[in-house]
Amino acid sequence: MDLQTTIYLVVGASFALYIGIAIWSRAGSTSEYYAAGGGVHPVLNGMATAADWMSAASFISMAGLISNMGYGGGLFLMGWTGGYVLLACLLAPYLRKFGKFTVPQFIGDRFYSKSASTVAVLCLLVASLTYIIGQMTGVGVAFSRFLGVSSDMGIYVGMAIVFTYAVFGGMKGITYTQVAQYIVLIFAYVIPAIFISIALTGVPIPQLGLGANINGTDVSLLARLDQVITDLGFGKYTTTTAGSTLNMFVYTMSLMIGTAGLPHVIMRFFTVPNVAAARSSAGWALVFIAILYTTAPAVAAMARLNLHGTVNNAVGVQSDPAGGLKIDPAKVKANADPFAPEASLKYEERPDWMKRWEKTGLLKFEDKNGDGRIQYYNDKTKNEAAKAKFEAAGWKGNELTVNADIIVLANPEIALLPNWVIALVAAGGLAAALSTAAGLLMAISAAISHDLVKGVFAPNISERGELLAGKIAMACSIVVAGYLGLNPPGFAAGTVALAFGIAASSLFPAIMMGIFSKKMNKEGAMAGMLAGLFVTLFYVFAHKGIFFIKGTEYLNLIGGANSFFGITPEAFGAVGAVVNFIVAFVVDKMTKEPPEHIQHMVENVRIPRGSKAVDGAHAH
Amino acid sequence: MQYKHDAQGYWKATLGLITKVLVIWFLVSFGAGILFADLLNGIHLGGYPLGFWFAHQGSIYVFIALIFWYAKKMGDIDREFDVHED
């Protein structure tokens, strides 16, 4: 069977599965619609959370980023997993005990203020919408690459699929489809990694393979990679930081508290039966996430070595035209000369996978010195010794540009894996994008129907009316998300910073103070949220333009790029959070205490017993 | 077993546990993975420099162990103060 037919079959079967599950798990009540009835087993909830959390960016882009960044890429690995520790012990159990459906409702009730709840809705909408644009464009790209339809058509198909199971199934439908999507995406990620780890190191577990020796030698894979890329003028793989150590520190912190503050992640903890289950469910979520997140660094490093080996035969690791990877232990051990003229790959002899990816424009070759061979190195290095070697070899500049997103998608092709594996990767990428889009849509529609319609405009709405409002809000959100995916506002790439920045600087501190401080009042909480939000927006917009409009950057006003101790705008959420805490504390001290019944409510939220009986949420 | 109906005591025990969890969380990620990574890189774990290992693998494993340990300990505290469910 040819590749295209196999892809249609595998992707089609996975879609049939998701829709089948959605029909089986239709939501009938608001409790089922918003919280899946509150009876989801912690292990299943962990899988659903993992699928919800791991987006197209985690599946497709993260390994590529790590591959380019080396050690510094660890900030994504630690940041996006460490947040679950904060969720498990600071937020999830208490929000579950509180027993309502949404984050803005907690903030509104705890700070006895509709304005506080409205600010939270606003933060939630901005964070979720910016995030969803990326997911929808990801769906479009994945469809067009693998199904051979246009990117726009891909987005329409994606919208229709999400519509089916999100609108009718609500949180219940989404939860069970996400479990299925998790299984698809994790197999798609891990199977190619296992094949490649075996080919390079003989170790079938990629996490161990990354620390092992290259097949047939006593040279460790990481040591060889360090050697190869420093020879070629790149920074050492195992030590290159992302900016300064301070920036890496703050960036990691921002991702951690941003993760813990993102509403679509928090919402997943309203679906478990009780407080104890909320605690362990965060652990299960992290177990399932970690399967991908500990495989990613292995994929990253191995792909980098494969790529260099493919274009420079002195590395000793080559794509074998007959299939798989060929290791030359003598070259690995002898540290052969990468500058020898015959070491660079002849362009005419490039492997098939390079030809295929050249067509997509994600891989480009330009023969700058006219020798018909590919020289792939860092021509911008500051290392004079390396520069001298490039010149002596007659190299006239780097000739190969590789888009980082290729790393995961092309990995199975580089190692010449069977067609069904390539088809599985296609289905996995789509599963990752669709599951996250569905989770985000759920958070958006709940905020609109539950917090705005029921909470502010029509408090007396019936359950049936609220359910209808939720479904209409969901349908509208899908149309908006689809529109934004079709017409991405040009800033899609920069907006993840904003989503995390907002979650980190406004929502996380507000929820945390609501639980851990009995005396925090509405004035303090709102001043804190607004201050954290403003400072973060101010710094991000200074770098990327006001509302990301090109030409409106005001870097001079803040004293140049990354002027605040060299911290990049992506990493600024943690600083915003600190501002939030400080402002909230000061304002709280100057205004009067929260009413008695609110202080009792906080005491009550801290005690697990009775989480099953909280009114309105989990009728069993 | 003597149950203690004591909300303040329960909250104190909870905060004590959370503090321990957060100290370990900080030490493995921000400590071993970032601040002291260069120092630790002098030590090798198989083919891994140790600081690099903490940033790319180790801290994640510790996070998982940490959450389950916390969930178990919280369960113990819940029972000790008789606020558990079921």
Side-chain angles (χ1 to χ4, degrees):
Chain A
M1 204 177 343
D2 74 333
L3 179 58
Q4 201 57 49
T5 320
T6 316
I7 289 179
Y8 281 130
L9 271 180
V10 173
V11 173
S14 70
F15 283 179
L17 177 69
Y18 308 149
I19 291 175
I21 291 172
I23 293 169
W24 165 73
S25 58
R26 281 188 312 278
S29 64
T30 47
S31 166
E32 285 184 344
Y33 190 78
Y34 292 123
V40 180
H41 190 275
V43 176
L44 286 186
N45 192 57
M47 276 193 201
T49 310
D52 201 343
W53 171 239
M54 291 191 289
S55 58
S58 291
F59 188 90
I60 297 171
S61 306
M62 191 175 67
L65 282 170
I66 298 169
S67 189
N68 283 341
M69 294 167 74
Y71 158 75
L75 67 91
F76 298 114
L77 297 163
M78 290 187 286
W80 284 335
T81 55
Y84 279 84
V85 177
L86 301 179
L87 258 176
C89 62
L90 299 180
L91 308 185
Y94 306 106
L95 290 172
R96 173 62 193 83
K97 172 62 195 297
F98 177 68
K100 301 289 171 63
F101 300 136
T102 66
V103 170
Q105 191 178 10
F106 172 78
I107 290 180
D109 287 6
R110 165 62 183 84
F111 297 114
Y112 46 99
S113 154
K114 279 189 182 164
S115 322
S117 159
T118 311
V119 172
V121 171
L122 195 74
C123 295
L124 183 151
L125 289 182
V126 177
S128 303
L129 273 176
T130 49
Y131 216 64
I132 213 167
I133 298 168
Q135 298 309 313
M136 291 318 278
T137 44
V139 169
V141 170
F143 266 105
S144 65
R145 178 104 23 91
F146 293 116
L147 300 186
V149 297
S150 75
S151 172
D152 287 6
M153 191 62 205
I155 291 178
Y156 292 128
V157 177
M159 281 166 69
I161 304 269
V162 176
F163 186 88
T164 315
Y165 65 76
V167 173
F168 297 109
M171 195 60 157
K172 196 174 172 198
I174 287 175
T175 301
Y176 293 106
T177 38
Q178 280 175 339
V179 171
Q181 283 162 339
Y182 175 78
I183 293 168
V184 171
L185 82 86
I186 203 68
F187 273 102
Y189 204 84
V190 171
I191 288 172
I194 291 175
F195 276 113
I196 288 158
S197 182
I198 292 174
L200 278 175
T201 65
V203 181
I205 300 167
Q207 287 84 344
L208 300 178
L210 178 57
N213 292 337
I214 294 177
N215 252 343
T217 70
D218 55 0
V219 181
S220 88
L221 190 144
L222 283 167
R224 182 64 186 143
L225 180 59
D226 271 343
Q227 175 78 52
V228 165
I229 65 176
T230 43
D231 278 353
L232 294 170
F234 298 96
K236 198 173 171 188
Y237 191 82
T238 51
T239 57
T240 304
T241 52
S244 62
T245 300
L246 174 71
N247 188 56
M248 184 155 164
F249 186 99
V250 179
Y251 203 151
T252 308
M253 186 66 89
S254 296
L255 294 184
M256 283 191 188
I257 58 185
T259 299
L262 277 175
H264 73 285
V265 180
I266 297 178
M267 267 189 98
R268 292 245 38 109
F269 294 94
F270 301 137
T271 63
V272 293
N274 57 38
V275 169
R279 295 176 193 139
S280 65
S281 189
W284 286 112
L286 191 54
V287 167
F288 295 120
I289 290 169
I291 297 175
L292 192 147
Y293 274 52
T294 55
T295 305
V299 170
M302 290 173 186
R304 180 106 184 242
L305 190 64
N306 289 350
L307 184 63
H308 282 288
T310 302
V311 293
N312 193 318
N313 70 34
V315 174
V317 176
Q318 278 173 285
S319 287
D320 186 350
L325 296 161
K326 198 173 68 183
I327 311 258
D328 185 338
K331 279 185 178 163
V332 172
K333 278 190 262 190
N335 191 24
D337 178 16
F339 303 105
E342 68 281 2
S344 302
L345 178 75
K346 271 193 196 143
Y347 182 64
E348 290 306 315
E349 290 170 7
R350 69 196 187 284
D352 287 341
W353 69 265
M354 289 182 87
K355 292 176 191 160
R356 276 200 292 276
W357 286 90
E358 271 177 325
K359 285 187 198 136
T360 64
L362 296 175
L363 184 102
K364 285 190 201 100
F365 170 68
E366 186 192 351
D367 194 2
K368 289 180 180 159
N369 63 353
D371 66 351
R373 291 172 182 271
I374 303 171
Q375 277 98 34
Y376 177 45
Y377 66 107
N378 181 16
D379 51 11
K380 292 181 188 71
T381 183
K382 293 194 176 77
N383 180 344
E384 293 301 326
K387 267 188 184 163
K389 282 186 185 159
F390 301 156
E391 268 176 41
W395 292 3
K396 298 255 164 63
N398 176 44
E399 300 180 342
L400 190 71
T401 42
V402 184
N403 181 307
D405 285 354
I406 288 188
I407 294 290
V408 168
L409 298 177
N411 225 350
E413 300 172 59
I414 297 177
L416 289 172
L417 301 184
N419 282 352
W420 65 267
V421 178
I422 301 173
L424 193 60
V425 171
L430 287 166
L434 290 174
S435 59
T436 305
L440 289 164
L441 286 165
M442 192 65 222
I444 293 170
S445 95
I448 293 173
S449 63
H450 198 71
D451 299 315
L452 286 185
V453 175
K454 187 179 164 69
V456 179
F457 298 114
N460 299 322
I461 195 169
S462 68
E463 181 172 324
R464 182 182 283 267
E466 192 192 337
L467 197 59
L468 183 67
K471 288 181 177 176
I472 293 170
M474 173 74 80
C476 296
S477 325
I478 290 174
V479 174
V480 172
Y483 174 81
L484 291 172
L486 291 168
N487 306 287
F491 55 77
T495 52
V496 175
L498 196 65
F500 276 91
I502 289 175
S505 66
S506 62
L507 295 172
F508 176 81
I511 303 169
M512 211 186 132
M513 288 184 292
I515 297 163
F516 286 86
S517 162
K518 263 192 332 195
K519 305 278 184 197
M520 181 53 66
N521 60 19
K522 67 173 174 188
E523 290 85 0
M526 282 184 60
M529 274 199 282
L530 292 171
L533 188 62
F534 175 77
V535 166
T536 308
L537 289 183
F538 184 78
Y539 198 74
V540 172
F541 286 166
H543 288 79
K544 300 186 186 280
I546 298 163
F547 290 102
F548 302 96
I549 298 162
K550 275 216 161 43
T552 58
E553 299 87 356
Y554 44 90
L555 280 175
N556 289 336
L557 201 62
I558 62 164
N562 308 337
S563 52
F564 193 81
F565 296 106
I567 293 169
T568 52
E570 290 79 9
F572 206 73
V575 181
V578 172
V579 171
N580 184 332
F581 281 119
I582 293 171
V583 169
F585 183 76
V586 171
V587 173
D588 179 57
K589 288 288 158 222
M590 296 188 307
T591 44
K592 68 173 196 279
E593 276 194 2
E596 197 74 9
H597 75 274
I598 294 292
Q599 302 194 28
H600 283 304
M601 188 190 105
V602 177
E603 273 171 13
N604 185 37
V605 160
R606 292 174 177 178
I607 306 279
R609 179 165 293 168
S611 68
K612 288 176 189 167
V614 177
D615 67 327
H618 298 283
H620 287 286
Chain B
M1 185 180 175
Q2 186 70 42
Y3 290 129
K4 298 178 255 177
H5 293 280
D6 175 5
Q8 273 189 333
Y10 174 75
W11 190 239
K12 209 176 147 201
T14 304
L15 291 180
L17 177 62
I18 291 177
T19 309
K20 279 185 213 153
V21 169
L22 292 184
V23 167
I24 300 171
W25 162 82
F26 187 86
L27 285 179
V28 293
S29 51
F30 296 96
I34 298 178
L35 298 175
F36 305 114
D38 279 348
L39 280 174
L40 292 175
N41 278 339
I43 308 167
H44 278 73
L45 188 76
Y48 281 115
L50 195 56
F52 173 85
W53 181 80
F54 267 106
H56 277 213
Q57 302 272 312
S59 54
I60 302 179
Y61 301 132
V62 178
F63 293 155
I64 294 174
L66 208 48
I67 296 180
F68 284 112
W69 177 72
Y70 154 82
K72 187 184 172 301
K73 283 284 174 190
M74 271 315 292
D76 295 347
I77 295 176
D78 287 354
R79 268 184 295 281
E80 187 188 334
F81 288 89
D82 191 28
V83 294
H84 62 288
E85 299 178 295
D86 295 326

